[in-house]
Amino acid sequence: MRTIETLSLLSSLECSNCGQYHDPHKLHQTSVCCNAPLVAAYDSSDVFPLSKEVLPAHSDNMWRYLEMLPVFDVNNIVTLGEGMTPLQTLYRIPQMLGFDRLYWKDESLNPTGSFKARGLSAAISKAKEFGVESCIVPTAGNAGGAMAAYCAAAGIDAVVVMPRHTPKIFKEECWMYGAEVILVDGLINDCAAVAAKIREERGSFDVSTFKEPYRLEGKKTMGYEIAEQLHWNLPDVILYPTGGGTGLIGLWKAFQEMLALGWIPDKMPRLIAVQAANCQPIVASWQGIQPNAKKYNGQPSIANGLAVPRPFAEPLIMDVLKQSHGHSLAITEDDLKKYMQLLARKEGMLAAPEGAALVAALPKLLEEGLILHDENILLLNTGSGYKYLENLQIPV
Ligand SMILES: *Cc1c(COP(=O)(O)O)cnc(C)c1O
Ligand SMILES: [Zn+2]
């Protein structure tokens, strides 16, 4: 429903490296000064204080935070009902693992089965606002399906570039949504190289992670929702399965924005980036094994959303981990499968292996004293397990 006519408070797009201003009324990819990610900034001084009391009257999807989202004309919003996903407490796993309670934010219930819907709803809405005719994305799986769906709804051509080893259903959904699907031998960084070439030839808008500023804005709405759903008291700790880093950085951005708006108290959660042992560039940088991930080589993982060997926004990811007093750790393929099954059997949740990684991380973090059993801990399950079953060799 498009019930709100209030305008976005977007005031500029800033280079994440040097802060240089970029005109928010023009379509951008990365910053012209540093070729770094652009980050949206909002100016609420005209309406200050922007009251959270308006929210109950706003729509029941992520566009309820419209003032803090980048679309200027509400008629350009392309929505499939993404966002306002349930925030629940788990039942049996907290007991098993020795926690008083565990929160579970369930992004599997989004259109196309993952939180990628939020980012692509924002990016394709902006593409529509700027009259873009074709979009392209390199993807480990879920971003491609989401982009294809939102492009279909917007009447925009879609090209998806995906690793050949990705489970079939990720490719099939793109085809169903009418996208052109290009398969590449390698990981997402190899797909990115192919996508860059095609983009140059065709002049498409490139919605690669952090190569445009809008997906981040959609994903940050998870942070707004967590605050609203927990009555404006953030958890002590949030575990997040980190690939390209949009979700992690988006959460932190949302918390900083809400703090500036006076919506939440100044008590920030520790953010913990969970990766796959097969591809753990952030863990390696966090531990100081490498200066950065620019030369990191990873292997595929059943958690394909985590198989991002050289995240473009690595400096921003590291900043969030440092500022939030967070941490980073990796989970083996065996544990991904084991905990996916555990979640299904103990909680009735068929989560993506990326989400299962968070449960697998809990005993390790507890043992190292990095989390406490009585803290408020939130696990952000980024996607549904249904698309991944083909890769699990299930014995029935
Ligand atoms: C893309 C993806 C991730 C990683 O997301 P980032 O925000 O880019 O770090 C995690 N889980 C799932 C299910 C994904 O599709
Ligand atoms: Zn710059």
Side-chain angles (χ1 to χ4, degrees):
M1 277 218 314
R2 291 160 193 169
T3 53
I4 328 144
E5 297 298 329
T6 327
L7 290 179
S8 164
L9 299 170
L10 179 68
S11 59
S12 71
L13 299 167
E14 292 169 359
C15 172
S16 59
N17 189 47
C18 75
Q20 183 172 312
Y21 169 90
H22 291 65
D23 183 354
H25 296 281
K26 290 195 180 130
L27 185 65
H28 297 276
Q29 300 272 193
T30 53
S31 71
V32 293
C33 40
C34 307
N35 187 29
L38 282 172
V39 179
Y42 298 79
D43 182 357
S44 60
S45 50
D46 282 352
V47 292
F48 197 81
L50 176 65
S51 172
K52 62 191 177 201
E53 311 305 325
V54 301
L55 295 176
H58 282 14
S59 50
D60 233 355
N61 58 47
M62 77 168 203
W63 294 97
R64 67 199 275 100
Y65 309 105
L66 184 71
E67 290 88 347
M68 299 300 288
L69 287 170
V71 174
F72 289 119
D73 179 347
V74 290
N75 295 310
N76 291 324
I77 292 175
V78 184
T79 178
L80 299 171
E82 57 293 322
M84 281 316 265
T85 55
L87 195 163
Q88 300 162 224
T89 47
L90 296 181
Y91 295 99
R92 299 165 71 197
I93 285 180
Q95 262 182 342
M96 277 182 63
L97 300 181
F99 292 91
D100 292 358
R101 74 196 76 77
L102 290 169
Y103 295 117
W104 179 255
K105 174 82 168 154
D106 198 358
E107 292 293 301
S108 73
L109 294 159
N110 275 308
T112 69
S114 86
F115 80 118
K116 293 288 197 303
R118 296 177 188 264
L120 274 309
S121 177
I124 301 308
S125 297
K126 284 306 281 186
K128 186 178 169 192
E129 191 151 81
F130 287 117
V132 166
E133 286 173 5
S134 99
C135 290
I136 188 164
V137 75
T139 175
N142 279 318
M147 190 191 83
Y150 285 92
C151 278
I156 294 174
D157 290 342
V159 182
V160 173
V161 190
M162 204 182 285
R164 196 179 303 279
H165 64 255
T166 314
K168 219 168 150 222
I169 190 165
F170 287 96
K171 303 164 192 163
E172 289 168 341
E173 65 169 345
C174 292
W175 187 88
M176 283 301 290
Y177 292 126
E180 182 182 343
V181 182
I182 296 169
L183 302 177
V184 171
D185 295 307
L187 290 180
I188 189 168
N189 54 317
D190 304 299
C191 296
V194 173
K197 237 171 127 191
I198 298 172
R199 182 200 140 205
E200 232 159 77
E201 287 162 17
R202 304 192 193 173
S204 311
F205 181 46
D206 183 355
V207 279
S208 308
T209 303
F210 280 108
K211 298 281 170 85
E212 54 71 40
Y214 310 114
R215 278 175 67 185
L216 177 63
E217 295 308 289
K219 290 188 177 184
K220 83 179 180 191
T221 58
M222 292 188 293
Y224 279 83
E225 284 177 27
I226 289 168
E228 189 177 359
Q229 289 171 320
L230 292 176
H231 310 289
W232 310 105
N233 287 302
L234 297 179
D236 299 309
V237 183
I238 298 179
L239 271 59
Y240 196 91
T242 303
T246 342
L248 190 85
I249 296 162
L251 286 177
W252 192 248
K253 184 173 194 281
F255 299 155
Q256 302 309 314
E257 287 175 358
M258 285 187 288
L259 184 63
L261 288 168
W263 288 11
I264 53 169
D266 189 4
K267 193 187 159 291
M268 292 292 145
R270 311 197 296 283
L271 296 192
I272 298 181
V274 182
Q275 297 211 289
N278 274 7
C279 189
Q280 45 173 318
I282 296 303
V283 179
S285 294
W286 180 251
Q287 292 177 343
I289 295 168
Q290 59 186 17
N292 58 54
K294 284 188 178 148
K295 291 182 182 154
Y296 186 90
N297 287 310
Q299 296 301 313
S301 167
I302 58 159
N304 44 34
L306 305 186
V308 183
R310 299 166 192 180
F312 184 58
E314 184 188 15
L316 302 181
I317 298 174
M318 300 311 280
D319 281 350
V320 169
L321 294 182
K322 278 179 212 145
Q323 286 172 30
S324 76
H325 306 286
H327 188 69
S328 183
L329 75 166
I331 305 300
T332 63
E333 294 295 293
D334 278 353
D335 271 357
L336 291 175
K337 288 180 204 158
K338 189 177 127 193
Y339 280 89
M340 215 179 147
Q341 200 175 326
L342 188 81
L343 265 162
R345 296 189 174 195
K346 299 291 178 196
E347 299 286 349
M349 304 268 194
L350 194 52
E354 290 88 339
L358 308 178
V359 183
L362 289 169
K364 296 175 193 288
L365 292 165
L366 193 60
E367 198 183 336
E368 289 185 52
L370 291 161
I371 56 175
L372 304 173
H373 70 88
D374 61 350
E375 286 189 298
N376 286 318
I377 298 166
L378 184 142
L379 311 180
L380 213 154
N381 176 40
T382 42
S384 160
Y386 285 95
K387 292 191 213 172
Y388 299 76
L389 295 179
E390 183 186 312
N391 274 14
L392 297 186
Q393 281 119 29
I394 292 167
V396 283

